[in-house]
Amino acid sequence: MAQTISLRKGNTRLPPEVNRVLYVRNLPFNISSEEMYDIFGKYGAIRQIRIGTNKDTRGTAFVVYEDIYDAKTAVDHLSGFNVANRYLIVLYYQPAKMNKKFDQKKKEEEIAKMQEKYGVSTKDK
């Protein structure tokens, strides 16, 4: 907490990717909400934690802090933190990058459907 206070006192300019919302990967599948609050709550007040539960999102979570400086401190301290023999990957959530991944998958599926519909094959070339 003392470090976050020192960040606020100085005229510290944060990089543009710094965000209150963190994206956490490589979590143990059996981690509980309480354990998440214990780990991430040490760095500041948490507004919300969302843990992935379906097949595609297991092992990931979103952590939303009340304050951007608390989120920065959490990223600085918890990236590479060992939880149940797994090293956490803590990133700032960047919606543009996340959406690009989903858009790319959609476009690839759309192209495959159109190729199938019109009988076009990329193997002929």
Side-chain angles (χ1 to χ4, degrees):
M1 196 68 167
Q3 185 177 10
T4 58
I5 292 170
S6 66
L7 274 175
R8 288 183 198 141
K9 282 184 181 176
N11 194 3
T12 307
R13 211 176 146 103
L14 296 173
E17 72 271 6
V18 175
N19 195 329
R20 288 184 320 122
V21 183
L22 305 182
Y23 177 60
V24 185
R25 294 176 31 206
N26 206 30
L27 285 166
F29 291 164
N30 60 350
I31 195 163
S32 69
S33 297
E34 290 79 24
E35 291 170 319
M36 289 288 290
Y37 275 99
D38 287 345
I39 294 167
F40 286 89
K42 292 176 184 173
Y43 300 100
I46 295 173
R47 179 172 288 183
Q48 183 181 63
I49 292 181
R50 292 280 177 111
I51 300 174
T53 55
N54 70 8
K55 191 176 91 173
D56 296 337
T57 60
R58 281 179 30 171
T60 65
F62 289 98
V63 179
V64 183
Y65 278 93
E66 293 286 341
D67 185 58
I68 194 168
Y69 291 98
D70 296 340
K72 182 178 183 338
T73 305
V75 169
D76 293 344
H77 287 89
L78 291 176
S79 291
F81 187 73
N82 190 334
V83 177
N85 291 325
R86 297 182 75 125
Y87 294 98
L88 298 184
I89 300 169
V90 184
L91 307 165
Y92 297 108
Y93 173 63
Q94 296 174 327
K97 284 189 179 180
M98 298 292 274
N99 290 339
K100 280 183 186 176
K101 288 180 187 174
F102 291 118
D103 289 345
Q104 184 69 26
K105 285 181 184 177
K106 263 187 190 174
K107 286 179 184 176
E108 287 173 2
E109 289 171 5
E110 208 172 288
I111 290 170
K113 284 181 186 176
M114 291 183 84
Q115 286 176 336
E116 190 177 305
K117 181 179 178 182
Y118 294 108
V120 178
S121 177
T122 56
K123 294 177 185 173
D124 293 342
K125 294 182 179 178

Short mmCIF file of all heavy atoms in Angstrom, two decimals, residues 18-45:
data_model
loop_
_atom_site.label_atom_id
_atom_site.label_comp_id
_atom_site.label_asym_id
_atom_site.label_seq_id
_atom_site.Cartn_x
_atom_site.Cartn_y
_atom_site.Cartn_z
N VAL A 18 -2.02 0.55 -19.22
CA VAL A 18 -2.40 0.35 -17.82
C VAL A 18 -3.90 0.58 -17.66
O VAL A 18 -4.46 1.54 -18.18
CB VAL A 18 -1.61 1.28 -16.88
CG1 VAL A 18 -2.09 1.14 -15.44
CG2 VAL A 18 -0.13 0.96 -16.96
N ASN A 19 -4.54 -0.35 -16.96
CA ASN A 19 -5.98 -0.42 -16.90
C ASN A 19 -6.39 -0.93 -15.53
O ASN A 19 -5.61 -1.63 -14.88
CB ASN A 19 -6.41 -1.41 -17.99
CG ASN A 19 -7.85 -1.37 -18.33
OD1 ASN A 19 -8.68 -1.06 -17.48
ND2 ASN A 19 -8.16 -1.69 -19.56
N ARG A 20 -7.61 -0.64 -15.10
CA ARG A 20 -8.10 -1.18 -13.82
C ARG A 20 -8.47 -2.65 -13.94
O ARG A 20 -8.59 -3.35 -12.95
CB ARG A 20 -9.36 -0.42 -13.36
CG ARG A 20 -9.10 0.96 -12.89
CD ARG A 20 -10.36 1.63 -12.37
NE ARG A 20 -11.54 1.37 -13.16
CZ ARG A 20 -12.66 0.81 -12.68
NH1 ARG A 20 -12.77 0.50 -11.43
NH2 ARG A 20 -13.69 0.61 -13.47
N VAL A 21 -8.67 -3.12 -15.15
CA VAL A 21 -9.10 -4.50 -15.39
C VAL A 21 -7.89 -5.35 -15.76
O VAL A 21 -7.16 -5.02 -16.70
CB VAL A 21 -10.15 -4.57 -16.52
CG1 VAL A 21 -10.64 -6.00 -16.70
CG2 VAL A 21 -11.30 -3.63 -16.24
N LEU A 22 -7.68 -6.43 -15.01
CA LEU A 22 -6.57 -7.34 -15.29
C LEU A 22 -7.09 -8.65 -15.86
O LEU A 22 -8.15 -9.13 -15.47
CB LEU A 22 -5.79 -7.62 -14.00
CG LEU A 22 -5.28 -6.42 -13.22
CD1 LEU A 22 -4.50 -6.90 -12.00
CD2 LEU A 22 -4.43 -5.53 -14.09
N TYR A 23 -6.32 -9.22 -16.77
CA TYR A 23 -6.62 -10.52 -17.34
C TYR A 23 -5.57 -11.48 -16.80
O TYR A 23 -4.37 -11.27 -17.00
CB TYR A 23 -6.57 -10.44 -18.86
CG TYR A 23 -6.80 -11.75 -19.56
CD1 TYR A 23 -7.99 -12.46 -19.39
CD2 TYR A 23 -5.84 -12.27 -20.42
CE1 TYR A 23 -8.21 -13.65 -20.05
CE2 TYR A 23 -6.05 -13.47 -21.08
CZ TYR A 23 -7.23 -14.15 -20.89
OH TYR A 23 -7.45 -15.34 -21.53
N VAL A 24 -6.01 -12.52 -16.10
CA VAL A 24 -5.09 -13.46 -15.44
C VAL A 24 -5.20 -14.81 -16.13
O VAL A 24 -6.29 -15.33 -16.33
CB VAL A 24 -5.44 -13.61 -13.94
CG1 VAL A 24 -4.40 -14.48 -13.24
CG2 VAL A 24 -5.54 -12.25 -13.28
N ARG A 25 -4.04 -15.36 -16.52
CA ARG A 25 -3.99 -16.66 -17.17
C ARG A 25 -3.15 -17.63 -16.34
O ARG A 25 -2.43 -17.23 -15.45
CB ARG A 25 -3.37 -16.52 -18.57
CG ARG A 25 -4.23 -15.71 -19.50
CD ARG A 25 -3.62 -15.47 -20.85
NE ARG A 25 -2.75 -16.52 -21.31
CZ ARG A 25 -1.76 -16.34 -22.18
NH1 ARG A 25 -1.51 -15.16 -22.64
NH2 ARG A 25 -1.00 -17.35 -22.56
N ASN A 26 -3.27 -18.91 -16.69
CA ASN A 26 -2.50 -19.98 -16.06
C ASN A 26 -2.88 -20.20 -14.60
O ASN A 26 -2.04 -20.57 -13.78
CB ASN A 26 -1.00 -19.73 -16.21
CG ASN A 26 -0.21 -21.03 -16.16
OD1 ASN A 26 -0.71 -22.07 -16.55
ND2 ASN A 26 1.01 -20.97 -15.67
N LEU A 27 -4.14 -19.97 -14.28
CA LEU A 27 -4.62 -20.24 -12.93
C LEU A 27 -4.89 -21.73 -12.76
O LEU A 27 -5.27 -22.40 -13.73
CB LEU A 27 -5.94 -19.49 -12.68
CG LEU A 27 -5.86 -17.99 -12.45
CD1 LEU A 27 -7.24 -17.38 -12.57
CD2 LEU A 27 -5.27 -17.70 -11.08
N PRO A 28 -4.76 -22.25 -11.55
CA PRO A 28 -5.20 -23.63 -11.31
C PRO A 28 -6.71 -23.72 -11.56
O PRO A 28 -7.45 -22.80 -11.22
CB PRO A 28 -4.88 -23.86 -9.82
CG PRO A 28 -4.00 -22.74 -9.40
CD PRO A 28 -4.19 -21.63 -10.36
N PHE A 29 -7.17 -24.81 -12.15
CA PHE A 29 -8.59 -24.94 -12.49
C PHE A 29 -9.49 -24.96 -11.26
O PHE A 29 -10.64 -24.59 -11.33
CB PHE A 29 -8.83 -26.21 -13.31
CG PHE A 29 -8.25 -26.15 -14.69
CD1 PHE A 29 -8.10 -27.31 -15.42
CD2 PHE A 29 -7.87 -24.95 -15.28
CE1 PHE A 29 -7.57 -27.27 -16.71
CE2 PHE A 29 -7.34 -24.90 -16.55
CZ PHE A 29 -7.20 -26.07 -17.27
N ASN A 30 -8.95 -25.40 -10.13
CA ASN A 30 -9.77 -25.53 -8.92
C ASN A 30 -9.67 -24.34 -7.97
O ASN A 30 -10.07 -24.44 -6.82
CB ASN A 30 -9.41 -26.83 -8.19
CG ASN A 30 -7.96 -26.85 -7.76
OD1 ASN A 30 -7.17 -25.99 -8.15
ND2 ASN A 30 -7.60 -27.84 -6.97
N ILE A 31 -9.16 -23.21 -8.42
CA ILE A 31 -9.01 -22.05 -7.53
C ILE A 31 -10.39 -21.47 -7.21
O ILE A 31 -11.27 -21.44 -8.07
CB ILE A 31 -8.07 -20.98 -8.15
CG1 ILE A 31 -7.64 -19.99 -7.06
CG2 ILE A 31 -8.72 -20.29 -9.33
CD1 ILE A 31 -6.42 -19.17 -7.44
N SER A 32 -10.57 -21.05 -5.98
CA SER A 32 -11.86 -20.51 -5.54
C SER A 32 -11.83 -18.98 -5.59
O SER A 32 -10.77 -18.36 -5.63
CB SER A 32 -12.18 -20.98 -4.13
OG SER A 32 -11.30 -20.36 -3.21
N SER A 33 -13.01 -18.40 -5.53
CA SER A 33 -13.12 -16.94 -5.50
C SER A 33 -12.44 -16.37 -4.26
O SER A 33 -11.79 -15.31 -4.33
CB SER A 33 -14.58 -16.51 -5.50
OG SER A 33 -15.20 -16.92 -6.68
N GLU A 34 -12.58 -17.06 -3.14
CA GLU A 34 -11.97 -16.59 -1.90
C GLU A 34 -10.45 -16.54 -2.02
O GLU A 34 -9.81 -15.59 -1.57
CB GLU A 34 -12.37 -17.49 -0.72
CG GLU A 34 -13.82 -17.39 -0.31
CD GLU A 34 -14.76 -18.17 -1.23
OE1 GLU A 34 -14.31 -19.14 -1.89
OE2 GLU A 34 -15.94 -17.78 -1.31
N GLU A 35 -9.88 -17.58 -2.64
CA GLU A 35 -8.42 -17.60 -2.84
C GLU A 35 -7.99 -16.45 -3.76
O GLU A 35 -6.96 -15.82 -3.52
CB GLU A 35 -7.99 -18.94 -3.42
CG GLU A 35 -8.13 -20.09 -2.45
CD GLU A 35 -7.91 -21.44 -3.11
OE1 GLU A 35 -8.39 -21.65 -4.24
OE2 GLU A 35 -7.28 -22.29 -2.46
N MET A 36 -8.79 -16.18 -4.77
CA MET A 36 -8.48 -15.07 -5.69
C MET A 36 -8.51 -13.74 -4.94
O MET A 36 -7.63 -12.91 -5.11
CB MET A 36 -9.47 -15.03 -6.85
CG MET A 36 -9.32 -16.16 -7.84
SD MET A 36 -7.84 -16.01 -8.85
CE MET A 36 -8.27 -14.61 -9.87
N TYR A 37 -9.54 -13.55 -4.10
CA TYR A 37 -9.63 -12.32 -3.31
C TYR A 37 -8.45 -12.21 -2.34
O TYR A 37 -7.93 -11.12 -2.12
CB TYR A 37 -10.96 -12.23 -2.56
CG TYR A 37 -12.07 -11.65 -3.39
CD1 TYR A 37 -13.00 -12.48 -4.00
CD2 TYR A 37 -12.19 -10.28 -3.57
CE1 TYR A 37 -14.02 -11.95 -4.78
CE2 TYR A 37 -13.21 -9.73 -4.34
CZ TYR A 37 -14.12 -10.58 -4.95
OH TYR A 37 -15.12 -10.05 -5.72
N ASP A 38 -8.02 -13.34 -1.77
CA ASP A 38 -6.87 -13.32 -0.86
C ASP A 38 -5.59 -12.90 -1.59
O ASP A 38 -4.81 -12.09 -1.09
CB ASP A 38 -6.64 -14.70 -0.23
CG ASP A 38 -7.68 -15.04 0.82
OD1 ASP A 38 -8.39 -14.12 1.28
OD2 ASP A 38 -7.77 -16.23 1.18
N ILE A 39 -5.38 -13.44 -2.78
CA ILE A 39 -4.16 -13.16 -3.54
C ILE A 39 -4.16 -11.72 -4.06
O ILE A 39 -3.21 -10.97 -3.86
CB ILE A 39 -4.00 -14.15 -4.71
CG1 ILE A 39 -3.77 -15.57 -4.18
CG2 ILE A 39 -2.86 -13.73 -5.63
CD1 ILE A 39 -3.90 -16.66 -5.22
N PHE A 40 -5.24 -11.33 -4.72
CA PHE A 40 -5.27 -10.03 -5.39
C PHE A 40 -5.69 -8.89 -4.46
O PHE A 40 -5.37 -7.73 -4.71
CB PHE A 40 -6.20 -10.09 -6.61
CG PHE A 40 -5.58 -10.84 -7.76
CD1 PHE A 40 -5.74 -12.22 -7.86
CD2 PHE A 40 -4.83 -10.19 -8.71
CE1 PHE A 40 -5.15 -12.91 -8.90
CE2 PHE A 40 -4.24 -10.87 -9.75
CZ PHE A 40 -4.40 -12.25 -9.85
N GLY A 41 -6.39 -9.22 -3.37
CA GLY A 41 -6.86 -8.20 -2.44
C GLY A 41 -5.75 -7.53 -1.65
O GLY A 41 -5.94 -6.45 -1.09
N LYS A 42 -4.57 -8.14 -1.62
CA LYS A 42 -3.43 -7.54 -0.90
C LYS A 42 -2.97 -6.24 -1.53
O LYS A 42 -2.31 -5.44 -0.89
CB LYS A 42 -2.25 -8.52 -0.91
CG LYS A 42 -2.48 -9.76 -0.09
CD LYS A 42 -1.31 -10.70 -0.23
CE LYS A 42 -1.60 -12.00 0.51
NZ LYS A 42 -0.56 -12.99 0.26
N TYR A 43 -3.34 -6.02 -2.79
CA TYR A 43 -2.82 -4.85 -3.52
C TYR A 43 -3.82 -3.73 -3.67
O TYR A 43 -3.52 -2.70 -4.27
CB TYR A 43 -2.29 -5.31 -4.88
CG TYR A 43 -1.19 -6.32 -4.70
CD1 TYR A 43 -1.44 -7.67 -4.84
CD2 TYR A 43 0.08 -5.92 -4.30
CE1 TYR A 43 -0.44 -8.60 -4.61
CE2 TYR A 43 1.08 -6.84 -4.06
CZ TYR A 43 0.82 -8.19 -4.22
OH TYR A 43 1.79 -9.10 -3.97
N GLY A 44 -5.03 -3.91 -3.13
CA GLY A 44 -6.01 -2.83 -3.18
C GLY A 44 -7.43 -3.35 -3.22
O GLY A 44 -7.67 -4.56 -3.26
N ALA A 45 -8.37 -2.42 -3.19
CA ALA A 45 -9.80 -2.77 -3.17
C ALA A 45 -10.20 -3.34 -4.54
O ALA A 45 -9.89 -2.78 -5.58
CB ALA A 45 -10.63 -1.55 -2.86
#
